Amino acid sequence: QVQLVESGGGLVEPGGSLRLSCAGSPNSFGISDLGWYRQAPGKQRELAAVVSGSSGTIYADSVKGRFTVSRDKYGIAVYLQMNSLKPEDTAVYYCYARQLGVDYWGKGTLVTVSS
């Protein structure tokens, strides 16, 4: 079973940047997908960016060119560099992992983009 802990959320002005981190434990055995989903107020959870073992790197259209997802070489940590942030990026960001066909989620970290 994988446990995921996010960090790096906070308040940022439009046009600013944030970097989210997710540390997983206890090991990376069998993890195929690792990345980030987000849920804005009043909306459903949606994929933001995921590194997939079968499909490569996947980005939501709304974040392409602004967000970069990366996975460490050991496969148990994932990062999300978010640039040129917009108010519509405001959401709770959840770390996600798929291990041996089972999905796991972190508790989420809040990102607020506002002036």
Side-chain angles (χ1 to χ4, degrees):
Q1 189 171 7
V2 176
Q3 295 182 337
L4 304 168
V5 179
E6 305 97 336
S7 61
L11 174 64
V12 63
E13 292 186 349
S17 297
L18 277 178
R19 178 177 170 87
L20 304 183
S21 299
C22 174
S25 61
N27 61 64
S28 64
F29 176 77
I31 290 182
S32 56
D33 299 357
L34 197 58
W36 299 89
Y37 280 68
R38 67 183 184 180
Q39 187 167 15
K43 295 187 177 182
Q44 291 186 331
R45 191 175 298 187
E46 64 176 7
L47 181 148
V50 170
V51 181
S52 170
S54 60
S55 305
T57 304
I58 305 168
Y59 291 98
D61 287 343
S62 58
V63 308
K64 284 180 181 177
R66 301 187 297 121
F67 289 13
T68 302
V69 62
S70 59
R71 181 172 172 175
D72 79 330
K73 62 180 180 179
Y74 302 107
I76 200 61
V78 64
Y79 310 94
L80 186 66
Q81 178 66 42
M82 305 185 292
N83 298 328
S84 302
L85 283 161
K86 305 176 181 179
E88 50 264 44
D89 293 318
T90 295
V92 177
Y93 285 71
Y94 296 91
C95 185
Y96 160 80
R98 174 167 290 181
Q99 184 185 49
L100 300 176
V102 178
D103 293 340
Y104 295 92
W105 302 92
K107 293 184 177 180
T109 184
L110 177 63
V111 172
T112 302
V113 184
S114 175
S115 56

